[in-house]
Amino acid sequence: STSIIDSCDFYNHGISGIEISNNANPVIKWSNFFESKGTGIFINRNGKGKIENCEFYNNQNSGIMLSSQANPTIKKCKIYENKQTGVFFYEEALGTLEDCEIHKNTLAGIEIKQKSNPFIKDCRIHNGSKSGILIYEEGLGTIENTHVFTNLLAGIEIRDSANPVIINSKIYNNKEIGILISDNSNASIEKSDVFGNILAGIEIKNNSNPSILNCRIHDGKHVGIIVHSNSVGKFENCDIYSNTKAGVA
């Protein structure tokens, strides 16, 4: 039978409010996870679970941490004001994050590293104190129909041999670069709208080589796209317009 946790408060725990592992597959809904000394929920070692309509806030670590083939579905949750990352995927974590509001976390809204490969869909990641989404150390992931905006650093930062897919998303009004791709990284960015960022819409550097197809890069306060001399990139069917400085530099 499936464990069901409904309308509970988990707070002030030493490590995490709930840990899910070893193929456990609970349903957790309408519950709050806050003021933990660690993380709100820790999912690892093939842990699964369906987590819906929950709130994660003011935890000392991340709101949710996932590692080691964790593969839950996290839907319609609010993850905010945690002292580190909102949602942290590492050590080959999986999982689906859908229709979640992730904002005002101290580090990135979402971090993906170490070959983790989550599916992030219909989310809003905003007003973070660092980058909206940070993908690094060979991180993967598919980000679809997601809005990333008004973060203090980049909207999406991709570095250290990372290679995500970004589709049908909007990256806008971030205080630095819209999308930063660096340090031997690739990325596939398709049908996305990058606009109104304070620095470059997209910046590519340090031996990186993304593919950018059918995107709009516009109304930035700086250059539309910067490609540094040691990097390349494939650009097809993109509209680059109304940036304060050059379209491409």
Side-chain angles (χ1 to χ4, degrees):
S1 63
T2 300
S3 297
I4 298 174
I5 298 169
D6 189 350
S7 304
C8 294
D9 285 346
F10 295 84
Y11 58 95
N12 201 29
H13 293 283
I15 298 176
S16 58
I18 293 177
E19 181 174 347
I20 303 169
S21 62
N22 297 320
N23 293 299
N25 193 19
V27 173
I28 303 168
K29 57 187 180 179
W30 300 109
S31 293
N32 298 312
F33 297 81
F34 58 97
E35 295 178 3
S36 171
K37 301 294 191 297
T39 187
I41 292 182
F42 180 34
I43 308 166
N44 63 25
R45 292 176 296 167
N46 298 292
K48 297 179 174 62
K50 187 175 183 180
I51 302 165
E52 292 192 1
N53 294 296
C54 293
E55 296 198 17
F56 300 82
Y57 58 94
N58 202 27
N59 296 288
Q60 290 299 313
N61 202 313
S62 302
I64 304 171
M65 293 179 68
L66 306 93
S67 75
S68 308
Q69 304 297 317
N71 194 10
T73 298
I74 302 164
K75 192 172 181 179
K76 296 184 178 178
C77 290
K78 295 180 180 179
I79 303 152
Y80 58 96
E81 295 178 1
N82 296 286
K83 304 304 181 188
Q84 294 192 28
T85 303
V87 184
F88 184 25
F89 298 88
Y90 67 103
E91 292 178 357
E92 301 184 11
L94 302 168
T96 297
L97 197 61
E98 184 176 351
D99 195 16
C100 291
E101 187 94 21
I102 302 169
H103 62 99
K104 295 182 181 176
N105 295 286
T106 303
L107 299 182
I110 298 172
E111 287 190 25
I112 304 168
K113 65 187 283 190
Q114 297 165 339
K115 299 183 180 177
S116 294
N117 192 15
F119 180 44
I120 298 163
K121 181 181 179 183
D122 300 329
C123 291
R124 293 161 303 284
I125 299 123
H126 61 94
N127 293 94
S129 298
K130 299 287 186 183
S131 295
I133 302 174
L134 172 59
I135 308 164
Y136 63 116
E137 292 181 16
E138 300 184 323
L140 302 167
T142 298
I143 299 161
E144 183 176 311
N145 197 35
T146 286
H147 288 215
V148 185
F149 58 98
T150 327
N151 296 286
L152 202 58
L153 299 181
I156 302 176
E157 182 176 354
I158 301 163
R159 59 175 167 85
D160 307 324
S161 302
N163 188 13
V165 176
I166 301 166
I167 306 171
N168 282 322
S169 292
K170 293 188 177 183
I171 298 95
Y172 58 97
N173 294 351
N174 296 286
K175 304 304 181 186
E176 289 195 356
I177 297 158
I179 303 174
L180 173 61
I181 306 161
S182 68
D183 302 315
N184 301 294
S185 292
N186 299 306
S188 175
I189 305 170
E190 300 179 23
K191 299 178 183 176
S192 292
D193 201 358
V194 182
F195 63 94
N197 299 287
I198 298 299
L199 298 181
I202 299 174
E203 183 168 354
I204 305 164
K205 64 181 185 177
N206 298 343
N207 299 302
S208 295
N209 185 13
S211 174
I212 300 170
L213 310 175
N214 300 302
C215 291
R216 297 195 305 159
I217 299 102
H218 61 98
D219 292 289
K221 311 303 181 191
H222 200 265
V223 175
I225 300 171
I226 299 176
V227 183
H228 292 266
S229 59
N230 55 0
S231 292
V232 292
K234 177 182 178 182
F235 303 89
E236 283 189 9
N237 296 320
C238 292
D239 289 337
I240 304 165
Y241 61 93
S242 299
N243 297 287
T244 301
K245 296 188 177 181
V248 178

